């Protein structure tokens, strides 16, 4: 920061800086998002999307737009069902869109900022998957290893972030 924290002015400047950071983060945390991913299936992607967006909904409003509408189950938990958008016509383009799922499905993510939460199991990504990810504004991945793989496959490091998975 270039601040001298041992002085009163340095401590005050540090406190002001941290307050501004906290306020910016709090402001962003209140902004609602569009969620995209498999939601109704019994696959790990669907379970992951339901858990991810249900947890995110506890700190910001999430409206979920499932990519697997033909698989609609008889019932969802109340918390999971509360996230569902009325229809794809209800997508708010001013919100950030976050996609959770296979890379090729990230083309469905809509919003003012488009974020892909993806994982990959090997060190090489096919070019068609890289092309999809290059169209995203940001890429989230759960580990430093997968971040490194994405960067080594041509993704800009400034756009790839580690978002660890909760336990």
């Amino acid at each position: 920061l270039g601040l001298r924290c041992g002085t009163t002015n340095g401590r005050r400047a540090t406190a002001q800086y941290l307050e501004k950071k906290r306020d910016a983060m709090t402001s962003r945390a209140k902004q609602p998002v569009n969620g995209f991913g498999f939601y109704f299936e019994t696959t790990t992607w669907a379970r992951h999307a339901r858990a991810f967006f249900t947890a995110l909904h506890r700190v910001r409003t999430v409206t979920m737009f499932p990519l697997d509408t033909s698989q609609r189950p008889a019932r969802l938990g109340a918390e999971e069902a509360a996230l569902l958008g009325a229809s794809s016509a209800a997508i708010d383009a001013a919100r950030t869109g976050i996609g959770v799922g296979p890379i090729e499905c990230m083309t469905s993510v809509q919003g003012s900022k488009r974020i892909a939460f993806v994982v990959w199991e090997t060190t090489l990504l096919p070019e068609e998957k890289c092309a999809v990810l290059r169209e995203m504004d940001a890429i989230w991945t759960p580990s430093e290893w997968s971040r490194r793989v994405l960067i080594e496959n041509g993704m800009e490091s400034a756009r790839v972030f580690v978002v660890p998975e909760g336990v």
Side-chain angles (χ1 to χ4, degrees):
L1 294 172
L3 304 174
R4 294 182 51 201
C5 294
T7 66
T8 301
N9 286 342
R11 284 191 298 271
R12 187 176 305 121
T14 300
Q16 290 171 343
Y17 171 81
L18 293 174
E19 278 182 36
K20 285 182 185 179
K21 277 294 248 194
R22 185 199 66 222
D23 291 347
M25 289 172 64
T26 301
S27 171
R28 280 194 302 270
K30 294 178 183 176
Q31 296 173 355
V33 300
N34 300 321
F36 298 87
F38 296 112
Y39 205 67
F40 299 119
E41 296 177 356
T42 57
T43 64
T44 54
W45 275 123
R47 287 194 302 269
H48 185 228
R50 285 192 302 272
F52 179 85
F53 288 117
T54 300
L56 183 60
H57 189 65
R58 293 179 186 134
V59 294
R60 66 169 62 188
T61 302
V62 174
T63 304
M64 185 67 201
F65 298 96
L67 302 177
D68 54 352
T69 54
S70 64
Q71 302 291 322
R72 199 173 192 97
R75 60 184 250 209
L76 284 173
E79 196 173 22
E80 294 168 339
L83 284 104
L84 293 172
S87 70
S88 60
I91 295 172
D92 185 345
R95 292 180 173 191
T96 296
I98 302 173
V100 173
I103 294 171
E104 58 274 11
C105 294
M106 295 301 112
T107 58
S108 300
V109 176
Q110 298 177 45
S112 59
K113 181 176 182 179
R114 299 170 60 228
I115 300 170
F117 188 109
V118 298
V119 295
W120 191 251
E121 295 82 14
T122 68
T123 57
L124 296 175
L125 273 80
E127 177 51 37
E128 64 271 11
K129 294 186 186 294
C130 290
V132 171
L133 292 176
R134 280 193 285 275
E135 295 298 316
M136 305 304 289
D137 296 302
I139 304 164
W140 293 352
T141 193
S143 71
E144 283 296 333
W145 178 85
S146 56
R147 180 179 189 273
R148 192 169 46 255
V149 167
L150 289 164
I151 293 167
E152 288 171 358
N153 280 271
M155 300 306 114
E156 295 175 40
S157 63
R159 294 182 5 192
V160 182
F161 303 91
V162 174
V163 178
E165 306 215 67
V167 178

